[in-house]
Amino acid sequence: MPTLTVQNLPAAPVSVLPGATLLAALQAAGHDWMHACGAKGRCTTCRLHVLSGADLLTPPSDAELRYRALGRLLPTERLTCQTRLPAGDVVGRVPEPVQFPHVTYLNDLP
C-alpha cells in the first residue's frame, strides 16, 4: 500500500488507500491537518511540501495550477485535498505557515 511520511510529524508513515486523497489518509490516521475551505481546493491551507516522490502523485489539479500561477503554491508543494498517491512512497513536511499551534511539530529537522 502507498505511504506518506510527514517528516515533521511524530508518527509512523500513513497508509494511503486507493483513490483516497492525502488529506483523507492523514485524517484517517488521526492527524489534525489544516483545511480551511473544507477540502474543496479553494485555499492553500492543506498544503504539503513534497521532499521526495512527487513524480508518484497524481498530476496537479486545476486549483493547484491556479494557485501556482498566483504564487500562492510553490512548485514543490501540493494541496493534500486535491492529491492522490496511486503507488509508492512519498515524503513531505508541513510548511510552517500552515501548522496548527496545538500540534507538536519536529521543526528542528533539516
Side-chain angles (χ1 to χ4, degrees), residues 43-85:
C43 69
T44 60
T45 61
C46 73
R47 68 186 181 263
L48 173 77
H49 179 97
V50 179
L51 300 171
S52 68
D55 57 323
L56 302 171
L57 299 169
T58 52
S61 67
D62 289 342
E64 290 174 297
L65 294 173
R66 184 173 54 252
Y67 286 121
R68 283 184 185 171
L70 294 171
R72 293 185 55 198
L73 191 67
L74 298 174
T76 56
E77 293 178 327
R78 297 295 306 269
L79 299 180
T80 61
C81 73
Q82 301 289 298
T83 307
R84 290 172 170 72
L85 176 60

Side-chain angles (χ1 to χ4, degrees), residues 17 25 32 44 46 49 96 99:
L17 295 173
D32 197 3
T44 60
C46 73
H49 179 97
E96 284 190 46
Q99 291 178 1

